[in-house]
Amino acid sequence: MLAAARSRYLLDLLAQVPDPRSRRGIRHPLAGLLATGIAAVVAGSRSFAAIGQWAADAGSDVLAALGATRGAPDEATFRRAFALVSADALDAALGAWCWTRAVRAGERLVIAIDGKTVRGAKRKGGKAPHLVAALAHGIGAVLGQVAVNEKSNEIPAARELLKAFADLAGAVLTIDALHTQHDTARAILERQADYVMTVKANMPTLYKQLKKLPWTAVPAVSEVSADHGRRARRTIKAVLAPSWIEFEGAAQVARLRRTVTKKSRKTVEVVYLITSSNTDPETLAAWVRGHWEIENRLHWVRS
């Protein structure tokens, strides 16, 4: 019943995507075509021929659940529909559906903001599109994305992305060092959300100021994880934000030390965090770890 309800809601969202096809001769509803094509891609199809074959093999019950009530569409039907449909409208519908599937951590939705160049998709000028995406921790699904203007950069694009969401109240947004900006912090707070921003050596003055805090006197919380022959220890210390921190709403600053050992080789990375949340250090460390994992997942998908 739950799976049926989820597919019904996906179909309701896809029904909002404008149908660009001529009304004459339409056999298959657009929402059913899109849902079936999406299911085929999730199942591993990588071409319109494969999508058509997946639909032909799916069976009537599966197709009916996906809104393809008039049998299996063929390859040409999928090809025409996806060539004509608005990519932005489809992206918005899928983002809204992924939003409903996002995992809550401590009753809060945690979202990573990250930007990547889409390789293998170069435009006529030879440049590949660069996208800034919002990804849900826990499932790694893209909730929304915007293209970066060729004459601009990721920073204003990230703020535009925030405007695309109807409701961010109560969410936590994890941000990498590039987006650790005063205006971005303000934009997040204006949406009734919290931020977790990373400070690295690309902000030398702030980095040195945070490094000089008396961390040796602060209690530490550590966790260890091991997988694929790799052992990682993460140690975090958090204190109230000093008065000289100029980020609006800053409640805490933290030092996070990550030591990774693989094949007897050890690497150490120390970053500093600024957050508007008063959460405990363990939760803060989990949010940052989730951001790193999401970032790596997005790197893989778009490379």
Side-chain angles (χ1 to χ4, degrees):
M1 292 294 291
L2 180 59
R6 285 172 174 168
S7 63
R8 183 69 258 169
Y9 183 60
L10 175 60
L11 288 172
D12 289 343
L13 289 169
L14 292 175
Q16 298 174 26
V17 177
D19 192 341
R21 300 172 297 170
S22 170
R23 292 186 179 181
R24 185 176 180 181
I26 288 180
R27 174 178 171 80
H28 299 281
L30 181 64
L33 272 174
L34 296 176
T36 304
I38 291 165
V41 170
V42 170
S45 300
R46 293 295 179 266
S47 68
F48 285 112
I51 292 173
Q53 187 59 55
W54 185 91
D57 295 338
S60 58
D61 290 344
V62 172
L63 291 174
L66 293 169
T69 54
R70 304 191 67 178
D74 59 20
E75 173 193 349
T77 303
F78 283 114
R79 188 182 298 274
R80 285 193 297 269
F82 277 92
L84 292 172
V85 76
S86 166
D88 289 340
L90 179 58
D91 184 61
L94 291 177
W97 186 73
C98 288
W99 190 279
T100 67
R101 303 296 310 280
V103 177
R104 265 66 179 174
E107 302 302 319
R108 303 190 73 176
L109 176 64
V110 188
I111 303 170
I113 302 294
D114 192 37
K116 289 292 167 291
T117 297
V118 184
R119 297 178 186 175
K122 290 185 178 179
R123 297 169 175 155
K124 291 182 180 179
K127 290 186 176 181
H130 194 84
L131 303 176
V132 175
L135 298 98
H137 285 222
I139 61 173
V142 175
L143 303 177
Q145 57 190 3
V146 295
V148 178
N149 189 302
E150 290 185 8
K151 296 182 180 180
S152 184
N153 58 53
E154 281 189 29
I155 295 170
R159 294 170 197 154
E160 286 300 312
L161 178 59
L162 295 177
K163 297 176 183 178
F165 298 118
D167 184 14
L168 284 174
V172 177
L173 277 74
T174 59
I175 311 286
D176 63 18
L178 176 65
H179 296 284
T180 300
Q181 305 285 332
H182 296 282
D183 288 345
T184 302
R186 189 177 302 111
I188 292 170
L189 293 173
E190 287 174 352
R191 301 299 309 278
Q192 318 303 308
D194 278 317
Y195 59 79
V196 179
M197 294 184 161
T198 303
V199 179
K200 294 183 178 179
N202 65 320
M203 303 181 73
T205 301
L206 182 56
Y207 187 89
K208 289 177 182 178
Q209 289 175 317
L210 291 170
K211 186 177 181 180
K212 289 179 180 179
L213 289 174
W215 295 110
T216 54
V218 180
V221 175
S222 295
E223 67 164 1
V224 177
S225 61
D227 56 73
H228 304 293
R230 175 177 171 274
R231 185 175 184 274
R233 175 181 289 276
R234 299 170 183 85
T235 302
I236 189 169
K237 298 181 175 185
V239 297
L240 294 175
S243 58
W244 47 261
I245 291 289
E246 297 179 351
F247 282 82
E248 186 173 334
Q252 296 186 91
V253 296
R255 188 186 76 166
L256 183 60
R257 178 187 176 95
R258 182 172 62 163
T259 305
V260 177
T261 305
K262 186 173 184 179
K263 295 181 179 179
S264 301
R265 183 180 178 183
K266 183 182 292 186
T267 59
V268 178
E269 180 184 22
V270 176
V271 301
Y272 296 93
L273 310 170
I274 301 174
T275 178
S276 59
S277 172
N278 281 305
T279 191
D280 57 87
E282 294 93 335
T283 300
L284 184 58
W287 289 343
V288 176
R289 181 181 179 183
H291 182 90
W292 282 335
E293 290 174 351
I294 289 288
E295 201 173 55
N296 291 336
R297 200 177 299 183
L298 186 63
H299 281 210
W300 182 80
V301 171
R302 296 189 174 180
S303 61

